[in-house]
Structures are given as structure tokens and as C-alpha cells.
Amino acid sequence: MLSIFKSIPTHMDYKGQKLAEQIFQGIILFSAVIGFIYGLIIQQFGWTVYIVLGGFTVACVLTLPPWPMYRKTPLSWQPALPETSGETSQKPQESLKKKKHK
Amino acid sequence: MNTVLSRANSLFAFSLSVMAALTFGCFITTAFKDRRVPVSKVMLKNVDDFTGPRERSDLGFITFDLSADLQPIFDWNVKQLFLYLSAEYATKSNALNQVVLWDKIVLRGENPKLNLRDMKSKYFFFDDGNGLRANKNITLTLSWNVVGILPLVVGSGQVSLPFPDMYETTKSY
């Protein structure tokens, strides 16, 4: 059963992950400010919670599934070298590590 | 953030932190308010007095009327109010006595205007000794504790109406 879920691709590239994080933080903070002000006006904290929960669902829908906008800058992998010895296959590993730490 | 689960994890954790900050903000906006309640009257109807079963201490009976408008206390931080009516007096043996006679919990959403008539006390008004007899000055105090949405008591207040007691005599059986 789990193999069905694992086979759905959910990856985003790095710029897309950053964009997704900014989007959900922005949405939740925005709904928190709106909810706080509205709850302060009508003096009921329940509405603040409802508005933040609404912001949470909107953020879920926008950032959890891997929309195409998060896949616009994919990584350009090095072409695979033939596996002749252990040392030649280290090079793509190192260039890979350099890209990750950016 | 590469999988749905890690994105969902950071989203959920961020939302919880934001909710905690909002709750604290709600607490901060109302914590230092001075809460007052207009209590129009707490009146003593009749008081009997007889000595109790054990050490022959005085036992008082009180029925009272109470009307109060609690609406100004209820703001968005208040979950419930705990009201209690206590009697304060001084006797020869003790300088200060405080006895809780009656209490009530008022939840948010219930009618905040109280108009109680002929209420009997919930708890026995025992005195430590025989100080109630001929006590000229017993003060009935209505106090309240405010329970807010954060699990801390936000505030308390009280209104106090003095009522000189009648001259009481003990009845012996």
C-alpha cells in the first residue's frame, strides 16, 4: 500500500523549496495578523483561531503538493561517468556536494 | 523540504508557534486591566444563630439578595469567572475572620447579569469560637477570580458592602 504513495513524485528543487517556505510563512503570518485584529475588534479569541486555521489550509494547498512553479530551476546533474575505478567516481560526488552547500 | 512530510512538518510547527504568539498577544492586551464590577446590593435577610454540634461554636444562617452586572469583565481573554461571597469580621479571639459562604462559576456565554433573590449560603458559616453573637459589624464581600485562555488566573477584584449584624442570641435546645 505504501509503495503507491512512495511512487508519487513530491520533490521540489531548491529554489522551489525556498519559494514554498516563503509562501507558507507569508500566508500564515498574514492570516495571523488579520485574525488577531479581527478577534481584538469583536473580543472573541475563537475567531482568531478560525482565521489562522483557514490560513493554514490555504498554505497547505499551496505548498504541500509539488506544483510546477516549484520545479522551474532543476539541478543540472553532471553526466554519469562510467564506473571504472573508485577515484573517478568521486568527482561527481564532490561537485554534487559543492552545489548542495550553496 | 524535499518531501511532502517534511514540508507539512515545518508548516505545522510554524503554525503552532504563530498560534502561541497570538495567544500571548491576547493575554498581554488584557492582563493589566483594572476590572471593576458594579454590585448594587448584597443584603442580609435574616440571621439565626445557634451553637454547633461539636465545640459549641457559633453557626450563622444568612440569606441574601445579589444583583451585579458582570458584562464589563468579559473580554476576549476571559474563559470563566469564579465568584465567591465571603464574610469578614473581627472577634475577641481572632483579629480577622473570613468565611466563604457561597460561590458560583460564570462561564463565558452565560448571562452576565446576575439577579439572585433569597439565596441561601452554600457553606456553613461556622465561627471559630463564639464570636458571631452580638457582633456588630460583619462585612459581606463579593470577590471574583478571572480565568483566562492562558492557564493562569488573569486577575481578581472585589466589592465590599458592610452590614451591621443584629444582636443575636444563642438558642439552646
Side-chain angles (χ1 to χ4, degrees):
Chain A
M1 242 277 283
L2 268 179
S3 57
I4 301 178
F5 289 113
K6 282 194 181 161
S7 64
I8 302 175
T10 60
H11 61 272
M12 296 175 176
D13 53 32
Y14 294 117
K15 291 258 190 294
Q17 289 174 23
K18 180 175 157 186
L19 179 65
E21 183 163 348
Q22 284 174 341
I23 283 181
F24 82 67
Q25 281 175 350
I27 288 180
I28 294 207
L29 282 177
F30 179 69
S31 62
V33 168
I34 299 277
F36 189 76
I37 294 177
Y38 186 63
L40 188 62
I41 290 175
I42 66 171
Q43 286 290 314
Q44 283 185 34
F45 193 68
W47 276 98
T48 303
V49 177
Y50 294 146
I51 290 177
V52 172
L53 281 181
F56 176 76
T57 26
V58 169
C60 273
V61 168
L62 273 184
T63 62
L64 286 185
W67 300 112
M69 62 178 169
Y70 302 126
R71 289 185 178 173
K72 280 204 185 137
T73 54
L75 288 173
S76 56
W77 297 104
Q78 299 276 349
L81 286 178
E83 296 269 335
T84 49
S85 65
E87 280 138 48
T88 47
S89 62
Q90 289 294 324
K91 273 199 182 170
Q93 294 269 5
E94 282 168 13
S95 62
L96 185 71
K97 279 191 183 155
K98 273 192 203 164
K99 279 204 174 171
K100 266 192 186 170
H101 285 142
K102 268 184 194 167
Chain B
M1 296 273 287
N2 209 11
T3 62
V4 176
L5 284 182
S6 64
R7 285 198 290 274
N9 181 27
S10 34
L11 177 61
F12 187 62
F14 185 69
S15 303
L16 279 186
S17 312
V18 165
M19 273 312 301
L22 284 182
T23 309
F24 183 71
C26 172
F27 166 73
I28 281 287
T29 55
T30 59
F32 306 109
K33 219 165 76 164
D34 187 26
R35 302 170 187 269
R36 296 199 178 279
V37 148
V39 177
S40 61
K41 56 182 175 152
V42 175
M43 200 172 77
L44 211 57
K45 275 256 182 97
N46 65 49
V47 178
D48 293 334
D49 190 12
F50 57 87
T51 51
R54 284 251 194 119
E55 300 110 1
R56 301 183 68 85
S57 332
D58 284 352
L59 171 66
F61 277 118
I62 290 186
T63 56
F64 60 92
D65 292 347
L66 172 66
S67 65
D69 181 15
L70 302 169
Q71 186 57 45
I73 292 188
F74 279 100
D75 54 21
W76 70 335
N77 197 7
V78 173
K79 197 168 74 172
Q80 66 188 22
L81 275 189
F82 180 71
L83 297 169
Y84 56 100
L85 184 77
S86 58
E88 284 185 26
Y89 56 97
T91 63
K92 281 196 283 274
S93 45
N94 303 312
L96 174 66
N97 302 279
Q98 289 169 322
V99 183
V100 175
L101 302 175
W102 171 87
D103 53 35
K104 180 175 172 54
I105 290 181
V106 180
L107 297 172
R108 180 168 62 193
E110 287 179 357
N111 189 12
K113 298 192 193 329
L114 289 183
N115 214 348
L116 308 166
R117 300 252 166 273
D118 281 339
M119 295 292 297
K120 289 200 278 281
S121 59
K122 252 195 215 178
Y123 309 110
F124 286 126
F125 187 0
F126 261 112
D127 180 46
D128 183 22
N130 293 315
L132 284 186
R133 178 155 66 115
N135 196 322
K136 291 286 187 225
N137 191 4
I138 297 186
T139 304
L140 288 177
T141 303
L142 175 73
S143 315
W144 56 88
N145 281 333
V146 175
V147 181
I149 56 166
L150 277 188
L152 287 172
V153 172
V154 172
S156 47
Q158 60 180 36
V159 170
S160 178
L161 294 167
F163 199 95
D165 234 342
M166 307 178 294
Y167 188 83
E168 303 149 20
T169 53
T170 54
K171 295 181 192 158
S172 55
Y173 288 91

